[in-house]
Amino acid sequence: MKKENVILENRTEREVYSYLNRDLSWLEFNRRVLQEAQNVDTPLLERVRFLSIVTSNLDEFMSVRVAETREKIKAELMKKDFSGYTPTGLYKRLMKRISKMIQEQYRSYRDLMRQLSKKGIVFMEYTDLNATQQKAMEQYYHDIVFPVLTPMAVDQSRPFPLVHHKFVYLAVVLRKEGDANEFYFAIVQVPSNIPRVIQVPLRSNSKKKSFILTEELIKHHIHTLFSGYIPESVHGFRLTRNSDLYINEEEVEDLLEEIEKELRRRRRGAPVCLEVEEGIHPNALAYLKHEFGIKDDQMFEIQGPLDLGFLGSFVDQLEGYNHLKYPNLKPVYPEIFHTDESFFKILRRQDVLLYHPYESFDAVTDFLEEAAEDPDVMAIKMTLYRVNGDSRLIPALAHAAEMGKQVTVVVELKARFDEERNIAWARELEKAGCHVVYGLLGLKTHAKIILIVRREQDTLRRYVHVGTGNYNANTARIYTDIGLLTSSPQIGEDVSQVFNEITGYSEAQGLGEIHLAPEGLKNKLFEMIQREAVNAKNGKPARMIAKVNSLSNQEMIDELYAASQAGVQIQLIVRGVCCLRPGLEGISENIRVISIVDRFLEHSRIFYFENGGDFEVYLSSADWMTRNLDRRIELMCPVNDRKLKEILVNTLELSLQDNVKARLLLSNGTYVPVNNKEPLLRSQFEAIQIKTWKKSR
């Protein structure tokens, strides 16, 4: 890769070249997701699912990261980031790569549609339907679709209506009957509250399942919405807006109320990009570009259906084709809880690790529900960041409050794109009698902790759950995460202090085992990295392994570079963004970085330090990004039981040995398959064999 011709103020070109750009690295991650959709060894319908993930990932990236870059350009900010890019230079490069990615995505879509057709799953055009099928679809249109459609004309008396973020619309160009010279323009929103995919009745003597998209049905019947006019063209379009929230918390009197206002403003966020269906009428395109202020570099002409995100739910709901999906995984309920003993009795005896999705998240829910019912439980405290809609946790917390227990819930209102749901949970919990707080000023609460205070033999004992992932039963089935259940007195006391800091005015001082961001977690990590460097210089064993979702904090990267130069062997498992360049001569020769994109989303954060032979292992909610280390409430918790530490080291080693789905990061920022010599090892499939990850080293 050619070095960027950039020199930052007071920094040499070599220093600038030592870092990869965060946003360009993210695009490389999404490319790895796209490669899973293209991988012929992946089950066909799972490839279709990966294609939908590419879309949802790109949507968020455009509406947040690209939108932020555009705002910097608008504000004429020319300062270069630590990787050497100005906002203008970065924006040009991002849009060029995104355009290529979208083209590749839709080539993959067309290929997958051909392959699905061979397997008996066919997406049809309306004109390909036979008379019986057309009659059935016409009836469906008039009964289900037509009543919820609203044609919206655009003329001097009717201004352009609000176009919602990420919704699919149809741009309709019309002319009056008998007048071929004047054109009229209207838009129709494709309803989001009816299925995007409609199953068509089977053809006689055919076993193929046929489907048609709702917008295809509307297009064919568009004349029913505009009597007296002749549709000249009908093409889809989709607008992506800036979706970030901008809240000055220091000037806000009621955070919940302000976020609700900001969510309403989000609907009118600045346009970021416009997708239009290939062949759109020039008049329609001119209308849209003028209305949204879209420039050519913000527009993508799509050869296929807009918004492939619908493919994920389509795969989930498709019946009779399980042979084209991954085998169903039934999470194992932890064997240690297969007794009549209470959670509390077991945890007084030993700590317990939970490994999702291989082990059931029901154990966490059952733990909380038992606490809600237990008459000896005095208080329950919990953080909530993202919770599934049908969560059993919310009723359990509400029930505990109704039973007279002190229940405190820290609800993070600023969890991006879950703000409205979290507001609803907050109000429901308050109604039940829970104490609901929204965290500290200016900081997101991202830590995942439950604290149970229980009266036992004239004393109080604390029980704690610390997790790397959200308290969300749905994502716990598709994300890999680790949870620790413990009755450690020191961890319990530390977690109590953390809650007191979040809910009150006290500061969590003198923590014994827990490390908290933004106050001390980063410094503790630096201290342990530097300790490994000292050990390496003194000839002691010096190694560290870190598994995170993203690594973009410059200070952290510099510490890792210094440790590498001291001789520490550093192995990083970074699923997504990585701004560190491994393998640079004299800088990062002892650092190896891999990324794993597979059936489950790698989400756990685990840190291992050799410590001269007396190894230490930590779980954390924090990625190694500036926002996590400096602007969020995050936790890092040690795992003290030696057997449990060895189990966690084994999970890390499994990932490091993966030679099927692992991709190796090169110093130029690209990823390549690792050397896949026999025997082949696919870490997630090994972990499915639940005993594998429990083996000691």
Side-chain angles (χ1 to χ4, degrees):
M1 180 179 176
K2 185 178 179 181
K3 294 183 181 180
E4 303 299 330
N5 185 23
V6 288
I7 302 177
L8 299 189
E9 186 179 351
N10 300 323
R11 294 176 61 198
T12 66
E13 182 176 358
R14 180 174 177 81
E15 288 174 322
V16 172
Y17 185 62
S18 298
Y19 309 99
L20 296 168
N21 178 268
R22 169 183 170 175
D23 293 328
L24 294 174
S25 179
W26 184 91
L27 286 177
E28 283 295 315
F29 159 66
N30 210 35
R31 185 174 301 283
R32 296 194 293 281
V33 178
L34 180 55
Q35 287 170 349
E36 288 303 301
Q38 298 166 335
N39 190 335
V40 295
D41 293 327
T42 301
L44 183 56
L45 286 174
E46 302 297 343
R47 293 172 63 187
V48 174
R49 192 195 307 277
F50 274 113
L51 204 59
S52 77
I53 296 172
V54 172
T55 294
S56 57
N57 284 350
L58 201 52
D59 279 349
E60 182 171 347
F61 182 74
M62 294 294 294
S63 63
V64 178
R65 296 300 303 173
V66 173
E68 180 181 314
T69 302
R70 285 185 56 81
E71 290 298 318
K72 289 179 180 178
I73 295 170
K74 185 187 293 186
E76 298 183 346
L77 299 177
M78 300 306 294
K79 183 180 179 181
K80 295 174 180 177
D81 64 23
F82 73 89
S83 67
Y85 281 93
T86 64
T88 300
L90 177 61
Y91 178 76
K92 290 178 180 178
R93 192 150 191 176
L94 288 175
M95 298 308 284
K96 185 176 180 180
R97 289 198 185 182
I98 289 168
S99 180
K100 289 182 178 179
M101 180 176 290
I102 290 173
Q103 292 174 23
E104 189 176 347
Q105 179 188 12
Y106 276 88
R107 281 196 296 271
S108 300
Y109 168 79
R110 292 188 290 274
D111 176 57
L112 288 172
M113 291 302 103
R114 287 190 291 269
Q115 295 189 50
L116 284 178
S117 181
K118 293 176 183 178
K119 299 295 183 180
I121 304 168
V122 184
F123 278 80
M124 304 185 73
E125 302 290 329
Y126 193 90
T127 53
D128 295 329
L129 304 178
N130 63 26
T132 302
Q133 291 172 320
Q134 287 189 2
K135 185 176 180 180
M137 289 298 95
E138 184 175 349
Q139 190 68 45
Y140 181 90
Y141 171 79
H142 284 289
D143 291 348
I144 305 298
V145 181
F146 179 78
V148 297
L149 296 179
T150 303
M152 292 176 283
V154 179
D155 54 30
Q156 291 179 332
S157 64
R158 289 168 289 194
F160 210 103
L162 174 65
V163 170
H164 294 285
H165 170 61
K166 297 196 301 184
F167 281 59
V168 177
Y169 289 79
L170 297 177
V172 187
V173 176
L174 305 147
R175 57 184 174 83
K176 280 189 175 181
E177 294 177 352
D179 184 355
N181 298 319
E182 188 170 0
F183 292 98
Y184 300 85
F185 181 68
I187 67 172
V188 178
Q189 181 181 327
V190 177
S192 60
N193 54 359
I194 62 176
R196 179 88 183 272
V197 181
I198 307 163
Q199 186 166 351
V200 179
L202 290 174
R203 291 176 182 265
S204 58
N205 301 320
S206 175
K207 295 182 180 180
K208 288 189 174 183
K209 284 189 177 180
S210 299
F211 302 89
I212 190 170
L213 294 177
T214 299
E215 59 262 37
E216 176 69 15
L217 195 59
I218 298 171
K219 284 180 185 179
H220 186 79
H221 293 88
I222 198 71
H223 61 279
T224 63
L225 299 172
F226 301 99
S227 59
Y229 291 80
I230 299 174
E232 188 74 17
S233 77
V234 188
H235 290 85
F237 73 92
R238 181 171 178 258
L239 185 69
T240 300
R241 295 181 180 274
N242 185 336
S243 296
D244 224 353
L245 299 182
Y246 300 96
I247 300 170
N248 186 346
E249 294 185 43
E250 294 184 0
E251 298 181 3
V252 168
E253 294 183 5
D254 187 323
L255 182 60
L256 186 147
E257 182 179 311
E258 185 62 25
I259 288 178
E260 287 183 312
K261 291 179 182 177
E262 191 65 23
L263 288 172
R264 290 192 290 271
R265 287 193 289 268
R266 177 190 273 174
R267 300 171 191 169
R268 297 182 180 273
V272 177
C273 75
L274 176 68
E275 299 164 82
V276 297
E277 196 176 349
E278 184 182 37
I280 189 170
H281 195 285
N283 288 16
L285 184 57
Y287 261 111
L288 297 174
K289 291 176 69 174
H290 177 267
E291 173 63 25
F292 304 133
I294 292 290
K295 298 179 181 179
D296 288 343
D297 64 356
Q298 296 174 263
M299 196 188 73
F300 302 104
E301 192 167 329
I302 304 298
Q303 295 180 322
L306 303 179
D307 185 12
L308 297 181
F310 74 88
L311 292 171
S313 58
F314 171 73
V315 170
D316 289 337
Q317 296 164 15
L318 187 62
E319 297 180 352
Y321 291 90
N322 288 342
H323 60 289
L324 300 179
K325 302 178 184 179
Y326 284 124
N328 185 45
L329 171 67
K330 185 175 182 181
V332 176
Y333 198 85
E335 186 176 347
I336 194 169
F337 298 132
H338 281 201
T339 68
D340 293 332
E341 291 184 303
S342 72
F343 278 84
F344 303 113
K345 185 174 182 179
I346 293 169
L347 295 179
R348 283 197 297 275
R349 194 165 60 239
Q350 66 184 93
D351 292 352
V352 177
L353 270 184
L354 303 173
Y355 191 12
H356 313 300
Y358 314 109
E359 291 187 305
S360 176
F361 186 77
D362 287 347
V364 179
T365 309
D366 291 346
F367 172 59
L368 192 67
E369 288 180 339
E370 182 177 311
E373 290 287 350
D374 191 321
D376 290 323
V377 168
M378 309 292 291
I380 299 174
K381 302 183 181 184
M382 184 177 185
T383 61
L384 291 180
Y385 192 76
R386 299 189 195 277
V387 186
N388 51 295
D390 56 350
S391 175
R392 289 163 49 199
L393 298 173
I394 304 299
L397 292 167
H399 178 62
E402 291 163 355
M403 295 281 287
K405 304 181 193 308
Q406 293 291 314
V407 180
T408 304
V409 188
V410 181
V411 178
E412 180 47 71
L413 297 180
K414 302 183 294 297
R416 185 178 289 143
F417 303 124
D418 276 332
E419 298 95 345
E420 292 180 89
R421 177 179 292 175
N422 285 5
I423 288 172
W425 289 143
R427 288 191 166 133
E428 183 175 331
L429 290 167
E430 284 180 329
K431 187 177 179 180
C434 301
H435 301 293
V436 179
V437 295
Y438 307 131
L440 292 174
L441 186 69
L443 300 173
K444 278 188 180 181
T445 303
H446 193 248
K448 330 295 185 181
I449 41 175
I450 299 173
L451 173 66
I452 309 293
V453 181
R454 189 170 187 266
R455 181 178 52 234
E456 296 178 2
Q457 298 178 346
D458 299 325
T459 188
L460 295 180
R461 186 187 292 269
R462 300 179 179 95
Y463 296 85
V464 173
H465 176 271
V466 178
T468 65
N470 297 312
Y471 291 113
N472 187 309
N474 292 339
T475 57
R477 288 192 284 268
I478 55 177
Y479 291 10
T480 70
D481 272 306
I482 303 288
L484 173 68
L485 287 164
T486 181
S487 64
S488 160
Q490 184 62 65
I491 291 176
E493 183 177 334
D494 287 354
V495 169
S496 288
Q497 285 200 54
V498 171
F499 274 110
N500 288 343
E501 176 169 338
I502 296 173
T503 62
Y505 285 115
S506 67
E507 294 184 5
Q509 296 179 337
L511 297 177
E513 301 212 301
I514 291 288
H515 301 281
L516 185 68
E519 294 159 345
L521 192 157
K522 182 169 68 173
N523 289 337
K524 177 62 177 178
L525 286 169
F526 290 173
E527 176 189 312
M528 291 188 289
I529 294 170
Q530 292 163 5
R531 183 184 63 192
E532 294 298 316
V534 171
N535 286 341
K537 291 176 181 177
N538 293 333
K540 295 181 180 180
R543 181 192 182 203
M544 60 170 290
I545 309 170
K547 184 175 184 295
V548 292
N549 297 328
S550 297
L551 168 57
S552 62
N553 179 264
Q554 185 186 354
E555 293 177 274
M556 178 63 72
I557 294 170
D558 289 343
E559 289 291 342
L560 294 171
Y561 283 162
S564 171
Q565 292 165 43
V568 181
Q569 298 302 307
I570 301 173
Q571 293 169 295
L572 303 176
I573 307 158
V574 186
R575 185 198 74 223
V577 170
C578 183
C579 296
L580 178 150
R581 290 187 190 266
L584 291 178
E585 183 180 354
I587 298 177
S588 56
E589 293 163 301
N590 293 315
I591 303 178
R592 181 176 185 264
V593 181
I594 65 168
S595 168
I596 296 174
V597 177
D598 201 349
R599 174 180 180 176
F600 305 117
L601 183 80
E602 292 290 340
H603 194 256
S604 56
R605 293 91 166 184
I606 311 170
F607 313 142
Y608 165 90
F609 297 92
E610 185 73 25
N611 191 28
D614 184 18
F615 71 99
E616 297 178 351
V617 182
Y618 294 83
L619 300 177
S620 182
S621 60
D623 287 314
W624 288 357
M625 305 177 74
T626 300
R627 71 183 188 190
N628 299 88
L629 300 175
D630 295 339
R631 299 195 298 271
R632 288 185 175 185
I633 303 292
E634 304 273 13
L635 277 185
M636 182 173 71
C637 177
V639 177
N640 295 319
D641 182 276
R642 185 171 182 90
K643 288 184 178 179
L644 299 188
K645 289 199 297 182
E646 289 177 343
I647 286 173
L648 286 175
V649 173
N650 194 53
T651 69
L652 293 173
E653 295 288 3
L654 271 181
S655 295
L656 293 172
Q657 294 166 21
D658 192 308
N659 56 9
V660 176
K661 292 298 183 180
R663 296 293 180 267
L664 182 69
L665 174 60
L666 304 182
S667 59
N668 64 5
T670 62
Y671 288 77
V672 297
V674 300
N675 190 343
N676 58 347
K677 292 181 179 179
E678 299 286 348
L680 298 179
L681 188 148
R682 189 171 176 179
S683 55
Q684 289 191 0
F685 279 29
E686 287 291 321
I688 288 174
Q689 310 302 319
I690 200 70
K691 293 181 181 178
T692 301
W693 67 270
K694 286 189 174 181
K695 289 179 181 176
S696 298
R697 291 193 301 169

